[in-house]
Amino acid sequence: MKEMIWLIPLLPMLSSLALMLGSGSFSRLIIGVLGVGSVGAAALLTLLTGLDFLAQPEPYTVSLWTWMQVANFSPGISFYFDGLTLVMMSVITGVGFLIHLFSTEFMEQDASYARYFAYLNLFVAAMLILVMADNLLLLYLGWEGVGVCSYLLVGFWYQNSANGQAARKAFVVTRIGDTAMALGLFLLFTSLGTLDIQTMLGVANSKWQVGDLMPLIACLLLLGGAVGKSAQLPLHTWLPDAMAGPTPVSALIHAATMVTAGVYLIARTHGLFELAPTAMMVVAVVGLATSLMAAFTALMQSDIKRILAYSTISQIGYMFLALGVGAWTAGIFHLMTHAFFKALLFLGSGAIIHCLHHEHNIFKMGGLRRKMPVTFWSFMIGSAALAALPMTAGFFSKDQILLQAYQLPEYGVWLWLGGLVGALLTAIYSFRLVFVVFYGKANTQPDKDVGWRMAVPLSLLCLLSLIGGYFIIPVQAVFPLSTDGHPAHWVEYVSISVPVIGVIVAYLIFYSKRLDVSRLVQSTVGSRLGDFWRIGWGVDYLYDRLFVRPYYGLSALMKSEPVDRFYGWVVSINQCFNYWLSQSQNGRMRRYLVSIIFGLIVLLMLALQLTPEVF
């Protein structure tokens, strides 16, 4: 199977190409078979390749051809396979397959059925190239590929101008981070002479020392790319607006593809980040700050998809926190478990929207527990895993992150406390969503329930969200082993109890109503603070004033192209001369003879002045 791993990204790519070229002649059944079957086949090949690798867990490279040859720079179309690659490929193809299957029912009435699956297949192919690449240039190709696909899918319903605006916002904001990443690649190549990831890490460790300036700059530039793609502060604003796309697209972006790319990039280049402790601390601080900001914001949202969007930003922040404190395995483990329960929650929200006449406001729902039992249990299990309740998948991964954060010297306790606040808020807003949507009075009646193509992916993701925490990911050989001992037991007890307390608080406020916070919420301070959190801490407002409006103002100023005025003057002068010359051509021979004689006299006078010796 080793020599055949190139088939895994090729299958969805070929399916995407076929759907683009032949969509007009394909029936919906053939479109579904191509779209879902290609990703399913990729998932099966990933499973077989993974079993083969686990039997002999030695990393290997499969080189297909040399991409380009410029002096000593010769990047190849080559794939590197190790435990980290296997985990990422399993998430992309496995969860991606379930999302594709769900989409066949969710999108079956859409007129652009083939275009949807063509984009979705291309998205999966680009993400596979990103995680399988053995060099940073090929990785960057996949990186830009997922950016283009996100633009196409977020703006899929382009007839609505707001969707197109959201797609452009996602594309432009992530380009800022991509530019920083490109500069990082230039720096690494000029300093180390290679972009082959494993070779580069070896050269960096032999050439640079821990704490040197060059690895710090390189890591901060790579972090810029990761922050943009993974929607972390300050480049997170594109992700909530990306909810404009179809809900299965949101599930794919948030669970299996785009937002995990930044986490993967830092994890893959961990050897470089270990040479820059300051950069790792920046990663941890950015992750914690993003996690808290997004958790507070999610607490105040009423749109079901925006709640989950800010939840994703918060959970990716947890992964950044893990990477920043050196908990590499815990960070990737949380990436995997998060893919299970976040795909479950997004697909569950898609089922609700699908059956409730496209309603998004959670306060217009309610009472769905008995009318949509499959979706109810999906949300209950997904929210429990998101809140990291004991024995769910999220519990195991988040607990590892908090414990390793606590053991970090100097600032570890503060990072741990911040992580606990994030865990408390996550539990509150997760079960706020459950109690408001599925309990109480039914404000909107569902017109149908989910079919089997929706129910099967939801059921399988429920299972994974429950047992996923017991999986052992094969990354021991990829990341250095932690030598720290286990912290005091009270630390673990606190970490376990905080999410439970959050669920109890949510129950008392949103279900039993025994804890009345209305006076606090309606107070002057509470109202202003709530509004501030509701608008995402005013980051979009700040960017609008600092960047968007000045840009539009400059565009309006430049609309008349002031630079072109100079060239306009040249044109006007030539037109004037042309007018004068055309007026001289009036057909009167006497004037022609006078002008010829006058010109001849002028020429003779000039010749006499310049060369008198000739005369």
Side-chain angles (χ1 to χ4, degrees), residues 299-300 428 432 505-527:
L299 198 58
M300 303 305 297
I428 294 174
R432 167 184 178 255
V505 170
Y507 174 83
L508 294 175
I509 296 175
F510 301 107
Y511 182 75
S512 70
K513 314 291 185 181
R514 294 179 185 175
L515 185 59
D516 186 8
V517 294
S518 58
R519 292 182 60 186
L520 177 62
V521 172
Q522 294 169 7
S523 66
T524 302
V525 175
S527 177

Side-chain angles (χ1 to χ4, degrees), residues 439-519:
Y439 291 85
K441 179 184 176 182
N443 296 308
T444 305
Q445 295 294 336
D447 58 358
K448 54 191 168 185
D449 200 357
V450 296
W452 72 268
R453 287 173 292 171
M454 286 185 175
V456 168
L458 289 173
S459 301
L460 290 175
L461 288 168
C462 282
L463 179 63
L464 290 171
S465 297
L466 289 172
I467 69 171
Y470 297 95
F471 294 168
I472 299 175
I473 57 175
V475 295
Q476 299 87 348
V478 180
F479 303 120
L481 295 175
S482 174
T483 57
D484 297 329
H486 197 283
H489 288 295
W490 69 267
V491 176
E492 188 165 12
Y493 296 152
V494 171
S495 299
I496 294 172
S497 61
V498 164
V500 178
I501 293 172
V503 175
I504 294 172
V505 170
Y507 174 83
L508 294 175
I509 296 175
F510 301 107
Y511 182 75
S512 70
K513 314 291 185 181
R514 294 179 185 175
L515 185 59
D516 186 8
V517 294
S518 58
R519 292 182 60 186

Side-chain angles (χ1 to χ4, degrees), residues 13 78 96 138 213 241 258 260 304-305 309 334 398 462 464 526 547 566-567:
M13 188 175 293
S78 305
L138 184 59
L213 180 61
D241 290 349
M258 189 166 172
T260 62
I304 188 171
K305 289 178 68 176
H334 193 55
K398 192 175 288 188
C462 282
L464 290 171
F547 303 112
F566 171 76
Y567 301 103

